[in-house]
């Protein structure tokens, strides 16, 4: 299983969910939770996996922290989890250079 993480450094998302939807051919569903706050989830049109846009700035009660502590400059994250063709997603995101590839985890 492959997990990729991308980061976005601007202070607000603005029209980025729409740009990502167009580039990746997905439709976002808005979710809200106490832990993640407002976030977007999508499934690829074919194959498995999940994509999620969420804030890197999280809060647990009164404690604030970064989901990805090694990248505090990234205000938002795009998590690409277990998709069938992660390299195609990476190539499609090449059209949106504001989303910087942060790292890939491979779990056997």
């Amino acid at each position: 299983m492959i997990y990729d993480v991308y980061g976005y450094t601007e202070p607000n998302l603005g029209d980025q969910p729409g740009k990502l939807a167009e580039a990746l051919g997905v439709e976002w569903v808005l979710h809200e939770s106490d832990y993640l706050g407002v976030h977007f989830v999508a499934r690829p049109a074919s194959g498995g996996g999940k994509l999620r846009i969420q804030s890197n700035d999280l809060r647990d009660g009164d404690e604030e922290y970064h989901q990805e502590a090694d990248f505090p400059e990234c205000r938002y994250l795009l998590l690409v989890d277990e998709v069938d063709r992660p390299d195609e997603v990476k190539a499609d995101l090449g059209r949106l250079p504001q989303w910087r590839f942060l790292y890939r985890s491979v779990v056997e």
Side-chain angles (χ1 to χ4, degrees), residues 3-102:
Y3 301 88
D4 286 346
V5 180
Y6 298 82
Y8 180 71
T9 59
E10 295 298 319
N12 63 60
L13 275 176
D15 62 353
Q16 291 303 301
K19 289 180 184 250
L20 286 166
E22 185 178 324
L24 300 173
V26 298
E27 191 170 316
W28 297 108
V29 176
L30 181 66
H31 290 270
E32 189 168 351
S33 74
D34 291 337
Y35 177 65
L36 294 176
V38 174
H39 59 284
F40 299 86
V41 177
R43 302 268 180 201
S46 63
K50 178 171 69 172
L51 299 104
R52 185 171 67 235
I53 304 170
Q54 69 176 57
S55 177
N56 193 27
D57 304 321
L58 299 181
R59 178 185 302 264
D60 187 9
D62 292 334
E63 182 183 349
E64 294 182 6
Y65 62 97
H66 293 102
Q67 173 78 25
E68 294 294 340
D70 291 340
F71 304 99
E73 71 280 7
C74 294
R75 301 294 306 276
Y76 294 93
L77 304 171
L78 172 63
L79 308 172
V80 180
D81 298 342
E82 300 180 27
V83 298
D84 292 343
R85 295 183 285 288
D87 292 329
E88 287 182 21
V89 171
K90 190 174 184 181
D92 290 341
L93 286 171
R95 294 181 284 174
L96 299 173
Q98 63 271 33
W99 287 93
R100 179 170 55 114
F101 179 77
L102 302 178

